């Protein structure tokens, strides 16, 4: 919650000069602007020669101050990580966008404790310059691939990516269980321990390449750690527009029984 308020408070600070310009004396506004820009005598004469309505000039000065405050905040944020602390960062996308490279200028974010679907969105949209994943000990489990229902006619396909926890077909929404499905499992042991297996991400890339031109929509059901997720997004789904899937949906597990219920459109 603290990171959410971090965004709100900073944007309030940005807007204060513009709102204040409605009530503050115009000479005070000129004085504040001149602290940054120096002597503005010539500029004042030029502006008053064109615009006689002082309230309009006040709003213009307020806008200049707002831009200055915004630039200052971007400068002090540029070497900071946005989501510090131990919160679970399940915020709407707008807070990340307002904080990121096009907003308050936070340079980096850690994908840890960010919901899986939001990790996809952040990586797809390049919201931050640097998106950090966890690093895990390497373990070379044998990858298991199972295909189901490929003979069923459909324009969408499921990808089930079992990593830290195993996903069963019954965990999917009922209406998705009969769709063509590719199930990829990292090994046979699912203890919840996070490890890294390069072969796992390589197999995901291979399988998405196999089906990317056959289906319009892909549904992703995954329990991947952040290290795998980042490689999968960048290598299998956001690889220079060559995914072939026009629609990408990542399903979120609910907190009650960990079934996949809510779909989030990524592309």
């Amino acid at each position: 919650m603290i990171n959410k308020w971090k965004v709100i408070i900073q944007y309030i600070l940005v807007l204060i000069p513009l709102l204040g310009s409605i009530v503050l004396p115009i000479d005070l506004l000129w004085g504040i602007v001149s602290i940054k820009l120096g002597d503005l005598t010539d500029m004042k004469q030029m502006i008053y020669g064109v615009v006689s309505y002082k309230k309009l000039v006040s709003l213009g000065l307020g806008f200049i101050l707002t831009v200055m405050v915004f630039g200052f905040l971007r400068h002090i944020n540029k070497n900071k990580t946005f989501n510090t602390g131990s919160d679970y960062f399940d915020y709407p996308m707008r807070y990340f966008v307002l904080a990121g490279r096009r907003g308050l200028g936070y340079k980096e974010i850690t994908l840890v404790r960010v919901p899986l679907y939001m990790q996809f969105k952040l990586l797809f949209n390049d919201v931050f310059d640097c998106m950090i994943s966890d690093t895990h000990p390497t373990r070379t489990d044998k990858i298991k691939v199972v295909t189901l229902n490929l003979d069923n006619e459909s324009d969408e396909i499921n990808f089930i990516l079992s990593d830290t926890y195993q996903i069963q077909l019954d965990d999917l929404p009922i209406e998705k269980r009969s769709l063509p499905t590719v199930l990829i499992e990292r090994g046979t042991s699912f203890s919840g321990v996070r490890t890294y297996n390069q072969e796992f991400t390589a197999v995901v890339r291979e399988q998405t390449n196999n089906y990317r031109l056959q289906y319009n929509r892909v549904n992703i059901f995954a329990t991947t750690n952040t290290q795998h997720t980042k490689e999968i997004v960048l290598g299998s789904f956001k690889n220079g527009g060559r995914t072939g899937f026009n629609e990408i949906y990542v399903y979120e597990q609910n907190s009650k029984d960990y079934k996949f219920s809510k779909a989030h459109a990524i592309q």
Side-chain angles (χ1 to χ4, degrees):
M1 185 63 70
I2 187 172
N3 293 281
K4 185 176 178 180
W5 279 104
K6 188 191 303 183
V7 172
I8 295 171
I9 290 171
Q10 289 190 61
Y11 273 99
I12 290 174
L13 292 175
V14 168
L15 291 174
I16 283 176
L18 186 60
L19 298 175
S21 68
I22 299 173
V23 295
L24 291 175
I26 191 169
D27 289 339
L28 176 60
L29 293 172
W30 277 114
I32 296 172
V33 173
S34 67
I35 293 173
K36 177 67 175 177
L37 302 182
D39 184 17
L40 300 175
T41 303
D42 292 341
M43 181 183 291
K44 288 171 68 173
Q45 292 177 349
M46 181 185 70
I47 290 175
Y48 286 141
V50 177
V51 182
S52 58
Y53 186 51
K54 287 192 174 182
K55 274 297 179 185
L56 188 60
V57 176
S58 293
L59 287 173
L61 292 171
F63 178 76
I64 292 172
L65 288 171
T66 288
V67 171
M68 290 166 59
V69 172
F70 186 61
F72 173 73
L73 290 174
R74 283 180 58 86
H75 175 72
I76 64 175
N77 289 333
K78 66 181 181 180
N79 293 318
K80 293 182 179 180
T81 301
F82 171 59
N83 56 341
T84 55
S86 58
D87 286 351
Y88 185 63
F89 307 107
D90 191 6
Y91 306 152
M93 183 66 169
R94 61 180 175 272
Y95 288 100
F96 294 100
V97 173
L98 289 172
R101 62 191 300 179
R102 299 178 185 88
L104 291 170
Y106 283 93
K107 181 178 181 180
E108 62 184 29
I109 186 173
T110 172
L111 299 176
V112 180
R113 297 185 302 280
V114 174
L116 184 73
Y117 74 89
M118 188 58 70
Q119 295 176 40
F120 268 75
K121 286 188 175 185
L122 294 172
L123 289 162
F124 252 89
N125 293 285
D126 296 320
V127 178
F128 294 83
D129 290 329
C130 181
M131 286 175 264
I132 305 167
S133 65
D134 251 349
T135 55
H136 303 288
T138 299
R139 181 170 168 175
T140 55
D141 300 296
K142 184 176 180 180
I143 309 304
K144 177 182 177 183
V145 178
V146 177
T147 56
L148 303 168
N149 309 321
L150 293 184
D151 292 334
N152 293 353
E153 187 173 341
S154 175
D155 70 342
E156 59 183 287
I157 187 171
N158 298 328
F159 267 78
I160 301 176
L161 310 179
S162 293
D163 182 8
T164 53
Y165 298 97
Q166 189 174 28
I167 302 170
Q168 305 291 342
L169 193 61
D170 290 346
D171 295 330
L172 276 59
I174 294 175
E175 67 274 13
K176 301 299 180 185
R177 295 175 190 174
S178 61
L179 292 176
T181 298
V182 178
L183 190 154
I184 304 173
E185 294 184 347
R186 180 197 54 76
T188 57
S189 175
F190 296 94
S191 61
V193 176
R194 292 172 173 83
T195 59
Y196 173 69
N197 188 339
Q198 187 177 21
E199 183 66 17
F200 179 69
T201 61
V203 169
V204 174
R205 182 165 57 252
E206 177 186 13
Q207 293 298 319
T208 53
N209 283 337
N210 287 343
Y211 299 101
R212 64 188 177 89
L213 298 179
Q214 299 180 39
Y215 297 93
N216 181 62
R217 166 172 168 163
V218 58
N219 304 313
I220 301 169
F221 306 89
T223 57
T224 48
N225 64 54
T226 58
Q227 191 172 9
H228 283 153
T229 300
K230 185 175 180 179
E231 287 195 17
I232 288 168
V233 171
L234 299 181
S236 299
F237 295 104
K238 187 180 181 286
N239 50 359
R242 298 187 300 274
T243 63
F245 300 112
N246 292 323
E247 300 176 28
I248 299 173
Y249 284 81
V250 175
Y251 279 74
E252 181 182 5
Q253 290 176 295
N254 64 56
S255 58
K256 183 179 179 180
D257 56 9
Y258 299 101
K259 302 287 188 181
F260 291 91
S261 53
K262 187 174 182 180
H264 296 271
I266 308 300
Q267 175 177 296

